[in-house]
Amino acid sequence: MIKNNLSVRQICVIMCVFNAAIKLMLYPTTMAAACGNALWLPVVVDTALQTACVWAVCMLCSKTDKTFFELLSAAAGKWTARIVFVLFAIYFVLCTVVPMTEQQAMVHEVFYDTIPSLLVFLPFFFFAVYAGGRGLTNAGRTAEVCLPIFIVTAATLVIMGLVECDFSALLPFLRQPFSQLVSGCAGGFFRFNEGALMLLFMGNFKYKKGDAAKISLSCAIGGLIVAAVCAVFYAVYSDLASQQYFAITKISIFFSAISLIGRTDLIAVYALDIAMLFAIVLNVQLAVYCLVKATGRQWHPAFTVGVNAVLIAITFVLNNKFALAQVMGSRYMGWITLAFAYVMPAVGWIVYAAGGKKREKN
């Protein structure tokens, strides 16, 4: 029997580690291109907005121990809940596409001297098929395993970058037009979906007083880590930052010891990639969870194979079309994320007030 029970500690780690790791591949570069030396500011703004959504869902969890599916079923009927969860499953499949293509490009650029065949990346799907059907309990456990890996590797890379960076590159503050900063916030909007994650975690953990603050703070810390990496990245490369892909792999390259002992920083990059892989696969796990809820069938192996078959097809379609995936993400996924990660938390409160609360008392 696949389990979906989570602890508050595991949710905090997911909100901090996984949601930071998945943003450290290309997001800093795109923000450098969009906002120059103010690249960290859109990250902070989007983090604040999404943290507010996470807090709203956490407060809803303090009112009821129902899952979001049960809440929808009680207020609007089971078929409505099923349709909503099918849409959530599609959403999380779409959420996998951009970070998956970024991971593919990062593996090709960082880990190989020449451009390898697409077949080199296909083992990712064997991992995704296996992990994708393991349930949310497995996601929580792997997050705890990834926590020390992420802390050590990210800290190592950032410290190596700090030695050679010049923070005067971040001055003067806010020299960009306000419209440019707004555009930067909108361009990275689709990367912040923690509110949607929290809705699916709802009812799968035991809420205690103060948990809303813990989970929301973890979400905020994850975003601030990304903002800090963005700042260090720009301090290292300045105006060239927009031309340097995969910031977390590049900020340590000028560390003085590397010229003597070689690219030892790649060891940290290899290890950090473990957290990135599990962060990407979390979307697959959530898509499978939604399909199980929507159908009422414990067909985890079939669902994870189906989801990954779709992702494999998308990978072949988008092969050598990396820029297209980025454009589609920034142009269209932002609107979809607005619906699922921002509007749906408000919908949760509406259905709780309209029907879920009343039927819970009965």
Side-chain angles (χ1 to χ4, degrees):
M1 182 69 177
I2 301 296
K3 297 181 179 179
N4 294 306
N5 298 325
L6 292 164
S7 68
V8 173
R9 180 183 68 254
Q10 290 171 339
I11 293 175
C12 289
V13 174
I14 289 173
M15 288 293 169
C16 180
V17 172
F18 280 3
N19 286 301
I22 204 170
K23 296 179 180 74
L24 291 180
M25 288 180 282
L26 201 64
Y27 186 37
T29 301
T30 59
M31 285 299 96
C35 301
N37 69 340
L39 73 167
W40 56 271
L41 185 57
V43 182
V44 173
V45 173
D46 286 343
T47 297
L49 292 173
Q50 196 55 212
T51 300
C53 293
V54 170
W55 179 83
V57 178
C58 289
M59 293 308 297
L60 183 58
C61 293
S62 71
K63 303 292 184 180
T64 177
D65 59 357
K66 290 181 178 180
T67 64
F68 188 48
F69 183 85
E70 292 169 343
L71 198 66
L72 285 170
S73 298
K78 184 163 289 187
W79 278 104
T80 300
R82 287 177 174 176
I83 292 171
V84 170
F85 266 66
V86 168
L87 294 175
F88 262 105
I90 296 172
Y91 169 67
F92 280 108
V93 171
L94 294 176
C95 283
T96 311
V97 174
V98 172
M100 181 183 68
T101 58
E102 290 179 353
Q103 176 67 199
Q104 177 189 353
M106 191 180 84
V107 167
H108 288 180
E109 177 173 316
V110 178
F111 300 153
Y112 292 90
D113 293 330
T114 58
I115 299 177
S117 166
L118 177 61
L119 296 177
V120 171
F121 185 68
L122 292 185
F124 164 80
F125 293 103
F126 291 102
F127 166 66
V129 166
Y130 172 77
R134 304 303 295 174
L136 300 184
T137 298
N138 176 266
R141 291 171 179 169
T142 54
E144 290 183 300
V145 172
C146 290
L147 175 61
I149 296 174
F150 178 82
I151 291 175
V152 172
T153 56
T156 299
L157 293 170
V158 169
I159 291 171
M160 293 173 76
L162 284 172
V163 174
E164 301 297 330
C165 70
D166 180 10
F167 283 106
S168 65
L170 298 173
L171 299 174
F173 289 122
L174 304 179
R175 68 184 181 188
Q176 295 78 10
F178 180 74
S179 59
Q180 187 175 349
L181 298 176
V182 172
S183 177
C185 290
F189 199 64
F190 73 97
R191 299 180 185 272
F192 293 82
N193 66 342
E194 290 86 349
L197 268 63
M198 197 64 218
L199 277 176
L200 299 191
F201 295 158
M202 182 180 173
N204 290 308
F205 70 100
K206 293 182 179 180
Y207 183 90
K208 296 180 181 178
K209 185 177 180 181
D211 286 345
K214 294 176 184 177
I215 296 172
S216 300
L217 181 61
S218 299
C219 180
I221 291 173
L224 292 176
I225 290 172
V226 178
V229 171
C230 287
V232 173
F233 174 55
Y234 200 88
V236 171
Y237 286 98
S238 188
D239 292 336
L240 296 177
S242 61
Q243 302 174 31
Q244 303 297 321
Y245 294 144
F246 312 113
I248 196 64
T249 70
K250 299 289 183 65
I251 59 175
S252 59
I253 198 170
F254 297 113
F255 186 58
S256 56
I258 287 179
S259 61
L260 299 176
I261 58 179
R263 291 296 306 275
T264 53
D265 60 314
L266 287 180
I267 298 174
V269 174
Y270 287 135
L272 181 61
D273 198 48
I274 296 173
M276 292 178 176
L277 287 173
F278 278 111
I280 296 170
V281 170
L282 176 63
N283 290 315
V284 178
Q285 293 172 312
L286 290 170
V288 171
Y289 170 80
C290 290
L291 291 174
V292 169
K293 286 292 186 181
T295 61
R297 299 288 188 269
Q298 297 288 323
W299 296 343
H300 293 81
F303 290 141
T304 188
V305 169
V307 168
N308 280 281
V310 172
L311 292 174
I312 290 173
I314 292 173
T315 300
F316 277 97
V317 170
L318 294 179
N319 188 35
N320 297 323
K321 298 176 182 177
F322 176 70
L324 176 62
Q326 293 293 313
V327 170
M328 292 177 64
S330 60
R331 185 171 298 176
Y332 302 112
M333 277 301 294
W335 293 104
I336 300 174
T337 300
L338 178 65
F340 285 92
Y342 290 81
V343 175
M344 277 297 176
V347 170
W349 274 99
I350 292 172
V351 297
Y352 171 73
K357 178 179 181 181
K358 179 179 178 181
R359 298 190 187 190
E360 183 179 22
K361 289 181 178 180
N362 294 337

